[in-house]
Amino acid sequence: MKLSTIAATLAELGAKPTQSLGQNFLHDQNLAKWIVDQTDIAPGEAWLEVGPGLGALTEFAQARSENGVLLEKDDRLIAWLRTEFPKLEVVHGDALTYDPRELFSRGPVKIFGNLPYYVSSQLLFHFTAEPSPAAGFVLTLQREVAERLCAEPSTKAYGSFTLLIGRRWQVKLLRILPAQIFTPVPKVDSAVVSLTPRNDDEVPECDGGLFTSLVKRGFAQRRKMLRKNIQLERWPEFAAALGVPETARAEELSLAQWVALTNLASGATGDHSAKAQDVTGEIFDVVDEHDKVIGQRPRGEVHREKLRHRAVHIFVINKLGELFLQRRSRWKDVHPRKWDSSAAGHVNAGDTYDITAARELDEELGVRASLECIGELPSSEATGWEFVKIYRAMHNGPFQLPPAEIESGSFFTHEQLTRWVAARPQDFATGFLECWRAVAPKT
Ligand code: SAM
């Protein structure tokens, strides 16, 4: 968008740039196109622009794909954006309170924007919070914030921000932008960064909650030694295992060492692949077409020979009436990374459905609650020859998700799930879809 067009459009709207909304409009068209090109949005691919303003980036994104959402807080711009970009969805609201769960039904979403600087780091945390619907980000930030995101250990810029975002996202500083390409000219330079999901093998899995708490404690007083900040009894032993001096400060540990420290502190190895598939010893009751027990067989044989057996699915509902879904870990032998019921599992030989439901709720979510059976499914090809009982439990969380089994989880509204299941059934484990179709009206 040219400077003259920006001035004319603002005049037409009777508006002036608002400092409190971080309004600095980009007037270099080549750079606008370059920024959008970094997103690599494919035709038809879903995207979200945070703070479109007068559409400097939007026109280039729309040329790539019309499956876009514009999220703008300034009420003076909304009608204009709707007229200018009728094919896009324009959401009028504060990006900080926007519900990212709304995006799952569109599939993984590319998120970009020249962010309003007064909230840029909060916005990053908001849209990267687990589970995130983002496929990746291209963002213009204050240069100083971008440098903190990409910082190396033992530098001043390296800190909790670097690590908390960096555990899941590979951040690259793509380009420094001079302040003069915006109007009004901001006081600081900017930088464009990209965030792409880290590869599975790059950083071992760990307990995300514990990682966050250790990192925050570690950096609470940067100048102090780490052992004073985090107060871990076995620190001397952990420091030796990490290969760092006992006197190390938080900034001396790399991302890999912070993850390793988290796993040492929680007693996990970080290698969850074996645990997730440690199902070799399981024995199931085999049942007939009337769900009567007729024998016992090992799990592998039951599945290979398509023998009828039993399973439970649990739907955990919170006080808002939302349903908790878990995202299966990448190490699961079936349906890795698919969304599934709150908890689910096979009935082991000699156990009842009720006992199994209580056990799975405890093992997978780390909670106890009273369980009510709200439906059942007959054994069929669609259920993998399982007779399934579906239970409902009321709980608001938080849950303790075992990282080997579950990557993340979230409550979703009934409406969000209905839309998501209809648009993208491939995102879900088939067993959940069967249960959802059977009991959705009762949840
Ligand atoms: N993308 C436009 C450009 O490059 O010219 C505008 C960028 S300007 C730096 C930031 C934009 O974010 C403005 O349009 C502003 O109104 C909008 N904005 C500010 N705070 C916001 C918030 N909390 N949620 C959504 N949009 C916001």
Coordinates of all heavy atoms in Angstrom, one line a residue, residues 247-293:
T247 N 27.8 -24.4 39.6 CA 27.6 -23.0 39.8 C 27.0 -22.3 38.6 O 26.9 -21.1 38.5 CB 29.0 -22.3 40.0 OG1 29.8 -22.7 38.9 CG2 29.6 -22.7 41.3
A248 N 26.5 -23.1 37.6 CA 26.0 -22.6 36.4 C 24.8 -21.6 36.6 O 24.0 -21.8 37.6 CB 25.5 -23.7 35.4
R249 N 24.7 -20.6 35.8 CA 23.5 -19.8 35.8 C 22.5 -20.2 34.7 O 22.9 -20.9 33.7 CB 23.9 -18.3 35.6 CG 24.5 -17.8 36.9 CD 24.8 -16.3 36.8 NE 25.9 -16.1 35.9 CZ 26.4 -14.9 35.6 NH1 25.8 -13.8 36.2 NH2 27.4 -14.7 34.8
A250 N 21.3 -19.8 34.8 CA 20.2 -20.3 33.9 C 20.6 -20.1 32.4 O 20.4 -20.9 31.6 CB 18.9 -19.5 34.2
E251 N 21.3 -18.9 32.1 CA 21.5 -18.6 30.7 C 22.6 -19.5 30.1 O 22.8 -19.5 28.9 CB 22.0 -17.2 30.6 CG 23.2 -16.9 31.3 CD 23.6 -15.4 31.3 OE1 22.7 -14.6 31.6 OE2 24.7 -15.0 31.1
E252 N 23.3 -20.3 31.0 CA 24.4 -21.2 30.4 C 23.8 -22.5 29.9 O 24.5 -23.2 29.2 CB 25.4 -21.5 31.5 CG 26.2 -20.3 31.9 CD 27.1 -20.5 33.1 OE1 27.8 -21.5 33.2 OE2 27.0 -19.7 34.0
L253 N 22.6 -22.8 30.2 CA 22.0 -24.1 29.7 C 21.3 -23.9 28.4 O 20.5 -23.0 28.2 CB 21.0 -24.6 30.7 CG 21.5 -25.6 31.8 CD1 22.5 -24.8 32.7 CD2 20.4 -26.1 32.7
S254 N 21.6 -24.8 27.4 CA 21.0 -24.8 26.1 C 19.5 -25.3 26.3 O 19.2 -25.9 27.3 CB 21.7 -25.6 25.2 OG 21.6 -27.0 25.6
L255 N 18.8 -25.2 25.2 CA 17.4 -25.7 25.2 C 17.5 -27.2 25.5 O 16.7 -27.7 26.3 CB 16.8 -25.5 23.8 CG 15.4 -26.2 23.6 CD1 14.4 -25.7 24.5 CD2 15.0 -25.9 22.1
A256 N 18.4 -27.9 24.8 CA 18.5 -29.4 25.1 C 18.8 -29.7 26.5 O 18.2 -30.7 27.1 CB 19.5 -30.0 24.2
Q257 N 19.6 -28.9 27.2 CA 19.9 -29.1 28.6 C 18.7 -28.8 29.5 O 18.5 -29.5 30.5 CB 21.1 -28.3 29.0 CG 22.4 -28.9 28.4 CD 23.6 -28.0 28.6 OE1 23.5 -26.8 28.4 NE2 24.8 -28.6 28.8
W258 N 17.9 -27.8 29.1 CA 16.7 -27.5 29.9 C 15.7 -28.6 29.8 O 15.1 -29.0 30.8 CB 16.1 -26.2 29.5 CG 16.7 -25.0 30.1 CD1 17.5 -24.1 29.5 CD2 16.5 -24.5 31.5 NE1 17.9 -23.1 30.4 CE2 17.3 -23.4 31.6 CE3 15.8 -25.0 32.6 CZ2 17.4 -22.7 32.8 CZ3 15.9 -24.3 33.8 CH2 16.7 -23.2 33.9
V259 N 15.6 -29.2 28.6 CA 14.7 -30.3 28.5 C 15.2 -31.5 29.2 O 14.5 -32.2 29.9 CB 14.5 -30.7 27.0 CG1 13.7 -32.0 26.8 CG2 13.8 -29.5 26.3
A260 N 16.5 -31.8 29.2 CA 17.1 -32.9 29.9 C 16.9 -32.7 31.4 O 16.6 -33.6 32.1 CB 18.6 -33.0 29.5
L261 N 17.1 -31.4 31.9 CA 16.9 -31.2 33.3 C 15.5 -31.5 33.7 O 15.2 -32.1 34.8 CB 17.3 -29.7 33.6 CG 17.0 -29.2 35.0 CD1 17.9 -30.0 36.0 CD2 17.3 -27.7 35.2
T262 N 14.5 -31.1 32.9 CA 13.1 -31.4 33.2 C 12.9 -32.9 33.3 O 12.2 -33.3 34.2 CB 12.2 -30.8 32.0 OG1 12.6 -29.4 31.8 CG2 10.7 -30.9 32.4
N263 N 13.5 -33.6 32.4 CA 13.3 -35.1 32.4 C 14.0 -35.7 33.6 O 13.4 -36.6 34.2 CB 13.7 -35.7 31.1 CG 12.6 -35.5 30.0 OD1 11.4 -35.5 30.3 ND2 13.0 -35.4 28.8
L264 N 15.1 -35.1 34.0 CA 15.8 -35.6 35.2 C 14.9 -35.3 36.4 O 14.7 -36.2 37.3 CB 17.2 -35.0 35.4 CG 18.3 -35.4 34.4 CD1 19.4 -34.4 34.5 CD2 18.7 -36.8 34.8
A265 N 14.4 -34.1 36.5 CA 13.6 -33.7 37.7 C 12.3 -34.5 37.8 O 11.8 -34.7 38.9 CB 13.3 -32.2 37.6
S266 N 11.8 -34.9 36.6 CA 10.5 -35.7 36.7 C 10.7 -37.2 36.7 O 9.8 -37.9 36.7 CB 9.6 -35.3 35.5 OG 10.1 -35.7 34.3
G267 N 12.0 -37.6 36.6 CA 12.3 -39.0 36.5 C 12.0 -39.7 35.2 O 12.0 -40.9 35.1
A268 N 11.7 -38.9 34.2 CA 11.5 -39.4 32.8 C 12.8 -39.5 32.1 O 13.7 -38.8 32.3 CB 10.4 -38.6 32.1
T269 N 12.8 -40.4 31.1 CA 14.0 -40.5 30.3 C 14.0 -39.6 29.0 O 15.0 -39.4 28.4 CB 14.1 -42.0 29.7 OG1 13.0 -42.2 28.9 CG2 14.2 -43.0 30.9
G270 N 12.8 -39.2 28.6 CA 12.7 -38.4 27.4 C 12.5 -39.3 26.2 O 12.2 -38.9 25.1
D271 N 12.8 -40.6 26.4 CA 12.5 -41.6 25.3 C 11.2 -42.3 25.5 O 11.2 -43.2 26.3 CB 13.7 -42.6 25.2 CG 13.4 -43.6 24.1 OD1 12.5 -43.4 23.3 OD2 14.1 -44.7 24.1
H272 N 10.2 -41.8 24.9 CA 8.9 -42.3 25.2 C 8.4 -43.4 24.2 O 7.4 -43.9 24.4 CB 7.8 -41.1 25.2 CG 8.2 -40.1 26.3 ND1 8.2 -40.4 27.6 CD2 8.5 -38.8 26.1 CE1 8.5 -39.3 28.3 NE2 8.7 -38.3 27.4
S273 N 9.2 -43.6 23.2 CA 8.7 -44.4 22.1 C 8.5 -45.9 22.7 O 7.5 -46.5 22.4 CB 9.7 -44.5 21.0 OG 11.0 -44.8 21.5
A274 N 9.4 -46.3 23.5 CA 9.3 -47.7 24.0 C 8.0 -47.8 24.9 O 7.2 -48.7 24.8 CB 10.5 -48.1 24.8
K275 N 7.9 -46.8 25.8 CA 6.8 -46.8 26.8 C 5.4 -46.8 26.1 O 4.5 -47.5 26.4 CB 6.9 -45.6 27.7 CG 5.9 -45.6 28.9 CD 6.4 -44.9 30.1 CE 5.5 -45.1 31.2 NZ 4.6 -43.9 31.4
A276 N 5.3 -45.9 25.0 CA 4.0 -45.8 24.3 C 3.6 -47.1 23.7 O 2.5 -47.3 23.5 CB 4.1 -44.7 23.3
Q277 N 4.6 -47.9 23.3 CA 4.3 -49.1 22.6 C 4.4 -50.3 23.5 O 4.4 -51.5 23.0 CB 5.1 -49.2 21.4 CG 4.7 -48.2 20.4 CD 5.7 -48.0 19.3 OE1 6.4 -49.0 18.9 NE2 5.8 -46.9 18.7
D278 N 4.6 -50.1 24.8 CA 4.8 -51.2 25.7 C 3.5 -51.9 26.0 O 3.0 -51.8 27.1 CB 5.5 -50.7 27.0 CG 5.8 -51.8 28.0 OD1 5.9 -53.0 27.5 OD2 6.0 -51.6 29.1
V279 N 3.0 -52.6 25.1 CA 1.7 -53.2 25.2 C 1.8 -54.7 25.0 O 0.8 -55.4 24.9 CB 0.7 -52.5 24.2 CG1 0.4 -51.1 24.6 CG2 1.3 -52.5 22.8
T280 N 3.0 -55.1 24.9 CA 3.2 -56.5 24.4 C 2.6 -57.5 25.4 O 2.1 -58.6 25.0 CB 4.7 -56.8 24.3 OG1 5.4 -56.1 25.3 CG2 5.2 -56.4 22.9
G281 N 2.7 -57.2 26.7 CA 2.2 -58.2 27.7 C 0.7 -58.2 27.9 O 0.2 -59.0 28.8
E282 N 0.0 -57.3 27.3 CA -1.5 -57.2 27.6 C -2.3 -58.4 27.1 O -2.1 -58.9 26.0 CB -2.0 -55.9 27.0 CG -1.6 -54.7 27.7 CD -2.1 -53.4 27.1 OE1 -2.8 -53.5 26.0 OE2 -1.9 -52.3 27.6
I283 N -3.2 -58.8 28.0 CA -4.1 -60.0 27.7 C -5.5 -59.4 27.7 O -5.9 -58.8 28.7 CB -3.9 -61.1 28.7 CG1 -2.5 -61.6 28.8 CG2 -4.9 -62.3 28.3 CD1 -1.9 -62.4 27.7
F284 N -6.3 -59.7 26.7 CA -7.7 -59.2 26.7 C -8.6 -60.4 26.8 O -8.3 -61.5 26.3 CB -8.0 -58.5 25.4 CG -7.2 -57.3 25.1 CD1 -7.1 -56.8 23.8 CD2 -6.5 -56.6 26.1 CE1 -6.3 -55.7 23.5 CE2 -5.8 -55.5 25.8 CZ -5.7 -55.0 24.5
D285 N -9.8 -60.1 27.3 CA -10.9 -61.1 27.2 C -11.4 -61.0 25.8 O -11.6 -59.9 25.2 CB -12.1 -60.7 28.1 CG -11.8 -61.1 29.6 OD1 -11.1 -62.1 29.8 OD2 -12.5 -60.5 30.5
V286 N -11.6 -62.2 25.2 CA -12.2 -62.3 23.8 C -13.7 -62.6 24.1 O -14.0 -63.4 25.0 CB -11.5 -63.4 23.0 CG1 -12.2 -63.6 21.7 CG2 -10.1 -63.0 22.8
V287 N -14.6 -61.9 23.3 CA -16.0 -62.1 23.6 C -16.7 -62.6 22.3 O -16.2 -62.4 21.2 CB -16.7 -60.8 24.1 CG1 -16.1 -60.4 25.5 CG2 -16.5 -59.7 23.1
D288 N -17.9 -63.1 22.5 CA -18.7 -63.5 21.3 C -19.6 -62.3 20.8 O -19.5 -61.2 21.3 CB -19.6 -64.7 21.6 CG -20.7 -64.4 22.6 OD1 -20.9 -63.2 23.0 OD2 -21.3 -65.4 23.1
E289 N -20.5 -62.6 19.9 CA -21.3 -61.5 19.3 C -22.3 -60.9 20.3 O -22.9 -59.9 20.0 CB -21.9 -62.0 18.0 CG -23.0 -63.0 18.1 CD -22.5 -64.4 18.1 OE1 -21.3 -64.7 18.5 OE2 -23.2 -65.3 17.6
H290 N -22.5 -61.6 21.4 CA -23.4 -61.1 22.5 C -22.6 -60.4 23.6 O -23.1 -60.2 24.7 CB -24.3 -62.2 23.0 CG -25.0 -62.9 21.9 ND1 -26.0 -62.2 21.1 CD2 -25.0 -64.1 21.5 CE1 -26.5 -63.1 20.3 NE2 -25.9 -64.2 20.4
D291 N -21.3 -60.2 23.4 CA -20.4 -59.6 24.4 C -20.2 -60.6 25.6 O -20.1 -60.1 26.7 CB -20.9 -58.2 24.8 CG -19.8 -57.4 25.5 OD1 -18.6 -57.8 25.5 OD2 -20.2 -56.4 26.2
K292 N -20.3 -61.9 25.4 CA -20.0 -62.8 26.5 C -18.6 -63.3 26.3 O -18.1 -63.6 25.2 CB -20.9 -64.1 26.3 CG -22.4 -63.7 26.6 CD -22.7 -63.9 28.1 CE -24.1 -63.4 28.5 NZ -24.4 -62.0 28.1
V293 N -17.9 -63.4 27.5 CA -16.5 -63.8 27.4 C -16.3 -65.3 27.0 O -17.0 -66.1 27.5 CB -15.8 -63.6 28.8 CG1 -14.4 -64.1 28.8 CG2 -15.9 -62.1 29.3

